[in-house]
Amino acid sequence: MISGILYDLLFDYTLRTVAVGAAALGAVSGALGSFAVLRRQSLLGDAISHAALPGIALAFLLTGSRATLVLVLGAALAGWVGTLVVMAVVRWSRIPEDAALGIVLSVFFGAGLVILTFVQRDPSAAQAGLDTFLFGQAATLLERDVAVILGLGAVAVAATVLFWKEFKILSFDPQFGRSMGIPMLRVDMILTTALVIAIVIGLQTVGVVLMSAMVVAPAAAARQWTDRLGTMVFLAAFFGAVAGTVGALVSATAVRVPTGPTIVLVVSALVLGSLLFAPERGLVAAWRREVRNRSRLRTEAVLLDLHALAGQHEDGSHPHEIGALEAMGHHPGGAEETLRHLRKRGYVSERDPGHWVLTEAGRERAGRILRDRGGVP
Amino acid sequence: MTAIDLEVQLLAIVVAVTCALPGVFLVLRRMALMSDAISHSILLGIVLAFFVVEDLTHPFLVVAAAATGVLTVALVEALYRSRRVKEDAAIALVFPALFSIAVILIARHAGGVHLDVDAVILGEIAFAPFRRWEVAGFDLGPRSLYLMLAILLVNVGFLLLFYKEMKISTFDPALAAALGFSPVLLHYAFMSLVSVTAVGAFDAVGSILVVALMVAPPAAAYLCTDRLPRVLALSAGFGALSAVIGFWGAWAMDASIAGSMASAAGVVFLLAFLLAPDRGLVPQARRRSRQKVEFAVRMLLIHLLNHEGGPKAREESQVVHLEEHLRWQPEFAERVVRSAEKKGFVGRKRGEELRLTDPGRHLARRTMLS
């Protein structure tokens, strides 16, 4: 099946169009989503994409046109108005931001549904296209849709390149930016507009309900691999493109697999993989670090205690009973297993059953540990 | 209006009130968007449970859906506590994934399942009256009305029983822990309640509009008063109002009932945002302009007192003169003078010359002293 898809990708014109469009929208939303995630505005994307619905429906109702550019511009305008409403409510009332987002996303969406019922009543309206905006339909992507995605996406990317420094300051230290005399409110507006663009160009493929995942998930996955903004944005764009392409191709070639949910599942898998396996921040790496640290602390405690016991005895090579070691209270769970482990590495040896002594290498090692800890060897 | 319209209207009101009550605590605890997450991911519970019992009306579906809601909360918190992502991102990662699984399952098995993805998003309250509850041949009314009434009863019972605990743990979680009841346990009990509510409402209005009913009426109520019992009562009232306006709006426009109810909830919130006593934008603007005039009246009185009996008293007391001396716009000066006159602080002599009255002189002196 995979080779079949690859073959089609190379030689099937429709499929190639779908793949290019999905890759482009995934890359743009991944890149712009990085800023949203860093600014703790992950759910703004959810609000914008839902708020876009009345814009799509109104644009169709007013112009009678199903041209992607018209619908997308309507969506962008509505999404942008929704963002302004969130900002206004947060600024001029005591409603917390999350509630403001919830109100905007659900009320705008509800209004969109009402307008959609008007659209659907018009029998001459070719309204089939509007339904795909709920869950997305990659198979309906035509060449001119992809042109819109590429064109508007290029605008959003250009804004990111042009205002890279300002976006970076806005994401990490807006107060500093203000003190430098940068008009942060204007920068915020530009970044938000770029985010709105990144979201609306994905609506036809991913759908309003799930587009928020394309904003957050690639960025959240990328965040696990790096601490540098530039790397994160590139990686997020890459993850977004991969998820978009794979999801769109699977759904365009399989029967009855909606595009939006498929893309979201692919990108969720990328997030899960990153959370688990990223170096440094990955949960598996962290777990292994913890196991290693714990085992190091355990062996060091046994070495040091044996060293201390040897120091108390006139004959430094006198073996000590394991009970004496455990009585020192630094070895929860017993010292036996750790001692065997140390013997394998040649630091201790067992004279009589249950009686242990440091070897020459063990003495040296204990001395080095003490020196590292700032004690007297 | 037919009996069916009446039943739909009644159901809409019950759904709105049932959502508005727990919504208050969601808004106050800054967890409003948990309603978004829960209302989406419960679909997975419904679908999986349906595969087991193969009956869309089986009560097991409600249980499984509510369990998925609680699982969502737990997943979001686990993700957030791993400190790999922020809380808002955790929400935005978990529910789309669960929801996507559910949608794909429905789409793949569309032939066998009488579950429609559009209905999930949009709700189908208009069809609710066609699913009746009959006992021994007697028609008792629509099933979902009884389900919602039961959930409403549970909500009210929970809030009555744990009102004090919910209040303390909402406004002062540290105190709640110090007093010895577990905020975590209470939190999960409450989130179960939200999940059950979302499941019931979801059937009627669809997943996204559950958010509108859980967030907008409580937020509007929160703008109108500071007392928790009043917030709860107002929130329920606003919810019911949204249901009534929404239903009749939909009836008049022949449009989606759920969409119309959400829009009505938005309008109610907008009105509260603009007009709420004290906190609304309009009362705030009026208060500011009133304060501005009050302050200007004091300035006028002090100005008059300063020049009273002085050589330029007559000149300084002309209304025209205020305009250049205090740099007031003519109409503002007129407004200030009229306000001062009305309160009996100044009188006009020979047309345009202002004279302090005794109360006016007294107030001017007291203002300068304070």
Side-chain angles (χ1 to χ4, degrees):
Chain A
M1 178 188 170
I2 305 269
S3 61
I5 288 182
L6 280 179
Y7 181 86
D8 287 345
L9 194 54
L10 284 174
F11 299 107
D12 183 319
Y13 177 74
T14 323
L15 218 50
R16 210 164 53 207
T17 312
V18 168
V20 169
L25 81 88
V28 176
S29 61
L32 268 304
S34 300
F35 296 102
V37 166
L38 289 173
R39 298 180 66 202
R40 306 188 179 202
Q41 289 188 330
S42 296
L43 291 158
L44 183 62
D46 204 20
I48 292 175
S49 64
H50 282 83
L53 187 65
I56 296 168
L58 263 185
F60 177 76
L61 204 63
L62 294 181
T63 64
S65 157
R66 258 193 64 210
T68 310
L69 189 61
V70 173
L71 300 186
V72 163
L73 286 181
L77 203 62
W80 204 66
V81 169
T83 316
L84 288 188
V85 172
V86 172
M87 285 181 182
V89 167
V90 171
R91 177 143 187 205
W92 289 317
S93 79
R94 60 170 174 179
I95 298 299
E97 190 180 16
D98 64 321
L101 287 170
I103 292 170
V104 164
L105 88 82
S106 57
V107 171
F108 272 63
F109 188 82
L113 290 185
V114 171
I115 304 173
L116 267 187
T117 40
F118 291 134
V119 173
Q120 276 157 350
R121 206 175 305 143
D122 183 356
S124 67
Q127 30 94 349
L130 297 194
D131 288 356
T132 63
F133 278 94
L134 279 186
F135 285 109
Q137 188 55 266
T140 63
L141 275 185
L142 300 175
E143 198 182 347
R144 58 166 191 269
D145 302 328
V146 176
V148 170
I149 292 176
L150 288 175
L152 288 177
V155 172
V157 171
T160 313
V161 173
L162 214 59
F163 296 102
W164 178 260
K165 198 177 61 198
E166 285 81 0
F167 285 2
K168 192 174 185 176
I169 294 174
L170 181 68
S171 304
F172 292 108
D173 200 344
Q175 251 100 37
F176 168 74
R178 221 162 287 135
S179 74
M180 295 286 289
I182 303 172
M184 293 321 272
L185 188 66
R186 216 173 300 163
V187 176
D188 195 346
M189 282 295 168
I190 297 171
L191 179 53
T192 306
T193 309
L195 180 66
V196 169
I197 292 176
I199 290 170
V200 295
I201 59 174
L203 293 181
Q204 191 186 354
T205 314
V206 187
V208 298
V209 181
L210 290 167
M211 191 55 204
S212 64
M214 281 309 281
V215 174
V216 180
R223 175 69 188 89
Q224 310 308 318
W225 298 85
T226 175
D227 283 336
R228 300 198 57 84
L229 180 65
T231 320
M232 179 179 166
V233 169
F234 266 107
L235 213 51
F238 173 70
F239 285 152
V242 168
T245 320
V246 173
L249 289 182
V250 168
S251 114
T253 45
V255 225
R256 288 207 309 248
V257 177
T259 312
T262 314
I263 293 180
V264 169
L265 279 192
V266 176
V267 81
S268 299
L270 286 174
V271 172
L272 192 64
S274 303
L275 281 174
L276 288 177
F277 302 119
E280 302 282 326
R281 279 174 71 95
L283 292 173
V284 170
W287 176 74
R288 287 181 55 177
R289 244 190 335 262
E290 199 183 311
V291 168
R292 218 170 31 235
N293 281 342
R294 216 179 274 166
S295 126
R296 208 191 64 201
L297 287 176
R298 245 193 337 256
T299 54
E300 288 187 356
V302 168
L303 277 175
L304 288 181
D305 280 357
L306 266 183
H307 186 69
L309 285 173
Q312 284 166 15
H313 211 275
E314 286 162 24
D315 174 14
S317 59
H318 181 83
H320 293 276
E321 205 188 337
I322 194 163
L325 199 59
E326 283 173 354
M328 296 175 81
H330 300 149
H331 317 288
E336 175 113 27
E337 200 184 319
T338 315
L339 282 166
R340 290 190 194 292
H341 177 65
L342 282 169
R343 183 173 57 187
K344 239 180 278 167
R345 292 165 65 183
Y347 291 141
V348 299
S349 64
E350 189 173 20
R351 287 283 164 81
D352 312 309
H355 289 71
W356 296 79
V357 67
L358 284 178
T359 61
E360 188 55 40
R363 255 195 302 281
E364 214 168 279
R365 178 97 189 101
R368 210 166 39 241
I369 294 165
L370 273 177
R371 256 199 310 281
D372 287 351
R373 292 191 183 178
V376 187
Chain B
M1 183 159 143
T2 64
I4 285 184
D5 283 341
L6 195 68
E7 281 175 356
V8 173
Q9 170 71 96
L10 196 60
L11 179 60
I13 293 174
V14 175
V15 167
V17 173
T18 312
C19 288
L21 289 178
V24 168
F25 289 99
L26 282 178
V27 169
L28 291 178
R29 291 168 166 235
R30 323 223 143 171
M31 293 177 37
L33 288 166
M34 266 312 190
S35 66
D36 192 24
I38 290 176
S39 69
H40 280 90
S41 56
I42 50 179
L43 181 63
L44 182 59
I46 294 178
V47 174
L48 292 179
F50 176 81
F51 285 153
V52 176
V53 296
E54 309 212 319
D55 174 11
L56 264 182
T57 57
H58 202 285
F60 179 59
L61 264 62
V62 177
V63 178
T68 326
V70 178
L71 174 76
T72 310
V73 177
L75 276 177
V76 167
E77 280 173 9
L79 202 52
Y80 164 58
R81 223 171 286 136
S82 79
R83 285 180 296 153
R84 278 359 183 234
V85 297
K86 304 280 181 338
E87 191 176 15
D88 60 327
I91 295 177
L93 288 173
V94 169
F95 84 82
L98 298 181
F99 188 69
S100 297
I101 298 174
V103 172
I104 289 177
L105 284 178
I106 294 177
R108 294 291 290 171
H109 301 269
V113 187
H114 187 69
L115 253 176
D116 184 0
V117 174
D118 280 359
V120 161
I121 295 293
L122 316 179
E124 41 187 14
I125 196 170
F127 302 126
F130 298 111
R131 293 180 303 235
R132 316 294 298 183
W133 193 28
E134 287 177 22
V135 174
F138 282 101
D139 178 21
L140 294 177
R143 265 164 185 279
S144 37
L145 184 57
Y146 285 95
L147 180 67
M148 270 333 278
L149 276 174
I151 296 173
L152 176 61
L153 219 60
V154 173
N155 278 353
V156 171
F158 179 87
L159 291 181
L160 283 179
L161 265 176
F162 297 108
Y163 177 75
K164 201 170 54 196
E165 285 81 356
M166 284 300 290
K167 185 172 166 180
I168 297 176
S169 71
T170 299
F171 293 108
D172 195 345
L175 176 65
L179 286 176
F181 54 83
S182 159
V184 177
L185 196 67
L186 191 68
H187 172 66
Y188 273 93
F190 174 62
M191 291 325 280
S192 314
L193 199 70
V194 172
S195 301
V196 172
T197 308
V199 177
F202 171 89
D203 190 38
V205 292
S207 58
I208 290 157
L209 305 173
V210 170
V211 181
L213 294 180
M214 280 199 180
V215 181
Y222 181 50
L223 288 178
C224 293
T225 168
D226 282 337
R227 299 202 47 83
L228 186 55
R230 278 186 218 154
V231 176
L232 282 163
L234 264 181
S235 173
F238 286 155
L241 186 66
S242 311
V244 173
I245 300 176
F247 178 77
W248 287 106
W251 194 78
M253 296 183 292
D254 189 20
S256 148
I257 297 176
S260 174
M261 274 169 68
S263 309
V267 171
V268 169
F269 174 78
L270 180 69
L271 288 179
F273 180 60
L274 293 177
L275 303 176
D278 290 341
R279 288 214 170 68
L281 289 192
V282 173
Q284 270 188 44
R286 286 180 59 177
R287 193 168 55 231
R288 260 199 298 278
S289 99
R290 202 176 55 232
Q291 282 167 344
K292 206 165 131 197
V293 171
E294 270 168 24
F295 180 76
V297 166
R298 302 262 178 130
M299 260 174 72
L300 170 68
L301 298 183
I302 291 169
H303 175 78
L304 292 175
L305 185 70
N306 267 342
H307 294 285
E308 203 169 42
K312 292 201 223 155
R314 176 169 296 177
E315 189 190 328
E316 294 285 347
S317 309
Q318 303 286 327
V319 175
V320 193
H321 192 76
L322 296 175
E323 289 162 18
E324 56 187 71
H325 193 119
L326 295 173
R327 300 196 178 170
W328 286 347
Q329 297 293 314
E331 56 273 29
F332 184 71
E334 194 53 45
R335 209 171 132 204
V336 173
V337 169
R338 213 172 297 138
S339 164
E341 266 182 317
K342 214 167 99 190
K343 286 177 181 146
F345 294 144
V346 299
R348 281 195 217 206
K349 245 177 84 182
R350 270 175 274 143
E352 287 303 296
E353 194 184 327
L354 297 174
R355 269 288 160 79
L356 280 174
T357 61
D358 282 339
R361 201 170 293 119
H362 181 68
L363 182 63
R365 287 211 177 99
R366 223 183 47 207
T367 307
M368 276 165 63
L369 283 178
S370 64

